[in-house]
Amino acid sequence: MLLEKLSRQLEQFLQEEDADYFESQKPYALAVSTGVDSMALLKVMKHLFDRLNRSFFVIHINHRLRQESEEEQAYLIQYCQRESIDLVVRIWKHAPLKSNIEGQARWFRYRTFAHVLQEKGSLRLLTAHHADDQVETILMRFLDGYDLSSLQGIQKKSPLYTFPKAQILRPFLTESKLNFYQLVKEEGVTFYEDESNKDVHFKRNRFRQKILPYLEEESPHLREHLSQFAYDLQGILEFAQPAIENFCQEILTLKEGKWALDIESLKSLSDSQQRLALKQVLNKIAPEDFGSFGRRGQEQLLQFLKEGVPQGTFDLPGQWQVDKVYQCAYFYEPGQEASLFKAQVGLLKAEQTYWIDEKWGIAYGKTDLKEADLYLPEELGDQKLLVRHRQTGDYLFLPSGDRQKLRRYFINNKWPAKDRQEAWLLVLEDRWVIGILTASGEWKYRYPLFKVKEELSGWKIKSLKRACHNF
């Protein structure tokens, strides 16, 4: 009996693919359109959950795109009432649609799924996708140039993109649609055929009605071959994924709140491996923002990192940016700005350390050497010390005693343009730079003003000012 067979198959799927949630007794939801696929799944779900003494609920979306929609909604309400099944109906109220009807309907549908799941306290949604859907999807993605992972086809379990905490379960991806027709016939279940499925203006319908039948004339086992291809590809990627993740952990680090990518290590891979690694990097940094970043964009980014200018900026989806600095790339999320100086800076008093942003201090007089990061000698006390960003004419002294323009220092040490602009400088009135800190407060340069602790006595300073801000 087909109903028993599919019922056992559904139970095994839930036990193997969703064991923790299945055992928790939390509610499951089922998306039902009244088509043969979803009505067959509804019959199987009801049969299994009655045996397990569990309940579930149904979500029906009335898109109001066809005259039959009201009749289908009324039938499903009657069916669920008769079978004592909890039903949630949502109606799409929209103006006349002229373009991208499929996309707009899909967005409303999945947004509604998210809302209903949250209202009902559920984290699982079952759909009736089957083997025919799988084959159509693989072929469409292949012809559209999707990346390798997408050619695995529809996944048995995946996050609901409008509510990522929830999962969509597809238990019958290996079942032919013919089995669903057979089941509803055996069980006497009424279903509705969507006449729009015959409209070849819709892409999937063209593949279903024209392209696949044509290809099957050349290869009668095409559907079986595509299914086997997707299955084998999934195994290969599952085997390779840990190696890709381990490599990316070595070349991608989080520094001062920014992701840093080692370009030189990335370039050590073959060309075909580089894009796979880059995709993994993007998924690790911001999967939601970079999920729609396609192959062409990834290849353009890869070319920028490998062959572009030594320093530059590349715009990414979601207002992210990549700053390339020679053999390192820094990823900045939207609005990310490091801020060092949060405290008001006033006059320093003798024999104390003044702490700025709780990260570093400036001191003079009889102060413990360990308490401060920079000490000012007496001979510099007649000048004002300013804390500001760089300006034209700034210079510093090298350990050799030679004077060097700050610009040349940045170039020699391969500072990225963004970091040069954000760096904080400790500057005397004549533009002599005696200290350089990154925007997050890390010391990069301090002029060697002392050798031993005894030299600290008697140092003084008149004032400490910051040019770019009010004190």
Side-chain angles (χ1 to χ4, degrees):
M1 186 177 178
L2 188 54
L3 179 61
E4 285 292 342
K5 171 183 175 293
L6 294 179
S7 176
R8 291 193 301 271
Q9 185 174 325
L10 175 59
E11 183 177 16
Q12 182 179 359
F13 175 89
L14 295 175
Q15 290 174 340
E16 294 179 356
E17 301 293 336
D18 201 37
D20 291 342
Y21 192 89
F22 186 57
E23 294 174 1
S24 72
Q25 301 295 312
K26 294 178 181 177
Y28 281 89
L30 175 61
V32 177
S33 66
T34 71
V36 64
D37 314 339
S38 59
M39 290 304 299
L41 178 56
L42 176 56
K43 183 66 178 180
V44 174
M45 191 86 166
K46 173 67 174 173
H47 183 75
L48 172 62
F49 275 51
D50 279 354
R51 177 165 60 81
L52 299 176
N53 195 28
R54 292 186 60 168
S55 60
F56 63 96
F57 65 95
V58 169
I59 305 175
H60 175 71
I61 310 295
N62 183 347
H63 295 92
R64 286 190 169 174
L65 295 173
R66 300 174 294 109
Q67 293 182 349
E68 299 83 4
S69 296
E70 305 304 320
E71 179 183 346
E72 294 168 2
Q73 175 183 312
Y75 163 71
L76 188 58
I77 291 174
Q78 182 183 34
Y79 182 95
C80 290
Q81 287 177 342
R82 185 178 70 246
E83 299 292 335
S84 300
I85 299 172
D86 185 12
L87 171 65
V88 178
V89 175
R90 291 291 184 267
I91 300 173
W92 188 20
K93 299 178 181 179
H94 55 83
L97 303 173
K98 297 182 179 179
S99 62
N100 192 27
I101 298 174
E102 285 181 292
Q104 293 183 66
R106 176 181 172 82
W107 169 244
F108 175 81
R109 184 164 61 250
Y110 278 84
R111 184 180 60 183
T112 301
F113 287 153
H115 291 164
V116 174
L117 289 179
Q118 292 178 75
E119 291 171 5
K120 303 285 283 186
S122 174
L123 294 175
R124 295 295 186 272
L125 175 69
L126 275 77
T127 66
H129 290 91
H130 47 74
D132 297 63
D133 295 321
Q134 181 73 292
V135 169
E136 293 162 7
T137 298
I138 294 168
L139 186 59
M140 289 167 62
R141 290 179 178 178
F142 179 79
L143 295 182
D144 285 343
Y146 277 64
D147 62 29
L148 198 60
S149 62
S150 296
L151 297 182
Q152 299 174 86
I154 307 170
Q155 299 299 295
K156 293 182 291 185
K157 185 176 182 179
S158 63
L160 178 62
Y161 73 93
T162 51
F163 181 32
K165 290 183 178 179
Q167 297 281 328
I168 302 177
L169 305 180
R170 306 172 182 91
F172 291 133
L173 284 174
T174 59
E175 289 296 320
S176 169
K177 188 170 185 174
L178 293 176
N179 284 343
F180 291 160
Y181 279 113
Q182 180 182 342
L183 175 67
V184 297
K185 182 179 180 180
E186 290 179 359
E187 301 299 326
V189 177
T190 299
F191 65 92
Y192 288 79
E193 291 282 9
D194 185 347
E195 291 299 317
S196 66
N197 287 336
K198 300 177 181 179
D199 186 352
V200 293
H201 288 93
F202 296 109
K203 183 175 183 178
R204 184 173 289 273
N205 292 344
R206 288 197 301 275
F207 274 77
R208 183 177 300 155
Q209 304 293 337
K210 292 187 174 183
I211 298 175
L212 267 171
Y214 176 78
L215 293 175
E216 285 180 308
E217 291 180 4
E218 295 294 329
S219 176
H221 300 290
L222 175 68
R223 295 174 186 268
E224 180 183 354
H225 295 164
L226 286 175
S227 297
Q228 291 172 346
F229 166 79
Y231 182 79
D232 292 344
L233 178 60
Q234 182 178 351
I236 291 172
L237 293 179
E238 287 177 352
F239 189 76
Q241 190 62 28
I244 298 174
E245 291 178 356
N246 290 338
F247 179 79
C248 290
Q249 287 180 354
E250 295 177 1
I251 67 172
L252 183 68
T253 55
L254 190 60
K255 296 180 179 179
E256 302 174 1
K258 296 176 290 189
W259 289 100
L261 172 65
D262 182 350
I263 300 175
E264 194 66 31
S265 296
L266 180 66
K267 290 165 63 176
S268 69
L269 299 174
S270 67
D271 290 345
S272 59
Q273 293 172 335
Q274 288 172 8
R275 197 186 63 82
L276 291 177
L278 180 61
K279 182 182 178 182
Q280 178 65 33
V281 164
L282 296 174
N283 286 339
K284 183 175 181 60
I285 293 174
E288 295 181 4
D289 289 323
F290 299 148
S292 60
F293 192 46
R295 185 186 188 100
R296 180 175 298 179
Q298 294 170 18
E299 290 175 344
Q300 290 174 346
L301 173 58
L302 194 57
Q303 183 178 9
F304 165 78
L305 296 176
K306 293 168 52 181
E307 304 172 7
V309 295
Q311 297 192 64
T313 301
F314 189 98
D315 292 330
L316 291 170
Q319 297 183 340
W320 280 76
Q321 282 190 329
V322 179
D323 279 356
K324 178 184 177 183
V325 186
Y326 298 96
Q327 294 305 316
C328 193
Y330 298 93
F331 292 77
Y332 294 86
E333 61 182 314
Q336 184 181 38
E337 292 183 2
S339 177
L340 174 61
F341 296 102
K342 300 177 182 177
Q344 295 283 312
V345 180
L347 296 178
L348 288 185
K349 297 180 180 179
E351 300 183 12
Q352 80 168 28
T353 300
Y354 190 90
W355 292 99
I356 300 179
D357 200 27
E358 301 181 351
K359 293 182 179 179
W360 58 276
I362 300 176
Y364 78 103
K366 296 179 180 179
T367 310
D368 188 346
L369 180 62
K370 296 180 181 179
E371 291 184 7
D373 294 292
L374 185 67
Y375 291 84
L376 303 170
E378 184 175 359
E379 60 267 25
L380 299 180
D382 292 333
Q383 297 192 55
K384 293 179 180 179
L385 179 68
L386 298 95
V387 183
R388 59 165 172 79
H389 295 302
R390 69 170 181 163
Q391 295 179 4
T392 302
D394 289 342
Y395 68 93
L396 47 77
F397 282 103
L398 302 176
S400 63
D402 295 330
R403 177 169 167 167
Q404 185 180 71
K405 289 184 178 180
L406 181 63
R407 177 176 174 274
R408 175 50 55 187
Y409 171 85
F410 282 146
I411 292 174
N412 291 347
N413 288 275
K414 298 183 178 181
W415 275 56
K418 183 179 180 67
D419 288 354
R420 298 180 195 182
Q421 296 295 332
E422 293 181 349
W424 290 105
L425 311 178
L426 277 70
V427 188
L428 297 175
E429 287 181 310
D430 64 352
R431 299 190 181 281
W432 175 13
V433 178
I434 62 173
I436 305 175
L437 299 101
T438 64
S440 59
E442 179 185 357
W443 281 104
K444 291 296 185 181
Y445 169 85
R446 280 176 284 188
Y447 181 70
L449 296 175
F450 57 84
K451 294 182 179 179
V452 294
K453 181 177 179 180
E454 285 72 16
E455 296 182 13
L456 299 178
S457 60
W459 294 1
K460 62 181 180 180
I461 182 172
K462 287 189 175 180
S463 63
L464 174 66
K465 292 186 177 180
R466 201 166 90 210
C468 299
H469 297 268
N470 296 324
F471 285 49

